[in-house]
Amino acid sequence: MTQNLVSLQLSDQDIAALDAALAVVERVLGGLVELSADQRRSLSKMGDRSEAFCRQTMVVLGENRQILPAGFDFGEAEADLRNLDALRPRFARLRRLAARAEDTEMALGSDIMSFALDGYAVAKVFGKGEALETLKEAMSSRLARRRKEDDKPEK
């Protein structure tokens, strides 16, 4: 018996609705940025401990805007904080959904691989005919390559 980690029933309408929903998400979040590895390393980061400091500083500066030099755009900083507060729970939902999507993709692939390996074993024992011979040849070469890679000595 092969494994069955996941079983989905998605209609063509479900796939179309998913594509439409993703298009909306991509449109609404079109302003998201993609940082390079160098940018990510060089940025000042607001972690959990520094967030309270940042919020308190915003409150104090908001109450004393007259001390800010002309180049300080307090309105932009306020907008950034509002957007962070609004988007953070949605990003958490997206991360959870993306993690489930990755797990489901892996489970679907594993179910398919398990079925194919079990089917190959059955075909190898009971199968006759040219199509099965072709399958056995393809699978034996695939499995032989994998065994050779697994048997390589570690350095």
Side-chain angles (χ1 to χ4, degrees):
M1 174 94 182
T2 60
Q3 75 181 25
N4 187 21
L5 299 175
V6 63
S7 182
L8 297 174
Q9 303 298 322
L10 298 172
S11 67
D12 290 343
Q13 292 83 6
D14 291 335
I15 296 298
L18 177 59
D19 288 341
L22 289 172
V24 170
V25 170
E26 290 170 341
R27 181 184 54 75
V28 170
L29 296 179
L32 298 182
V33 299
E34 186 172 346
L35 301 173
S36 70
D38 288 339
Q39 288 172 313
R40 292 178 67 82
R41 275 191 295 274
S42 66
L43 286 175
S44 299
K45 296 164 187 80
M46 183 178 74
D48 293 339
R49 290 184 288 184
S50 59
E51 186 170 344
F53 160 76
C54 293
R55 288 181 182 276
Q56 185 60 39
T57 300
M58 293 290 295
V59 168
V60 170
L61 293 176
E63 294 170 353
N64 299 284
R65 292 181 191 216
Q66 72 279 2
I67 67 170
L68 293 175
F72 274 55
D73 190 349
F74 187 78
E76 181 63 27
E78 280 181 313
D80 286 348
L81 186 59
R82 274 192 313 275
N83 285 325
L84 176 66
D85 289 342
L87 289 173
R88 197 176 256 168
R90 280 104 188 146
F91 290 160
R93 288 176 64 189
L94 286 171
R95 280 190 294 275
R96 286 191 302 271
L97 184 60
R100 288 176 46 211
E102 289 176 13
D103 288 349
T104 301
E105 182 178 23
M106 182 179 291
L108 287 167
S110 182
D111 284 354
I112 295 164
M113 186 67 180
S114 177
F115 179 84
L117 290 171
D118 290 348
Y120 170 70
V122 169
K124 195 167 129 179
V125 172
F126 298 109
K128 299 277 189 258
E130 191 169 322
L132 291 175
E133 288 302 317
T134 304
L135 172 65
K136 286 197 276 186
E137 287 176 26
M139 285 302 296
S140 65
S141 65
R142 181 204 172 278
L143 295 174
R145 277 196 306 268
R146 191 172 89 199
R147 272 191 227 108
K148 286 179 186 175
E149 290 171 5
D150 291 345
D151 292 343
K152 288 182 182 175
E154 294 183 26
K155 294 180 183 180

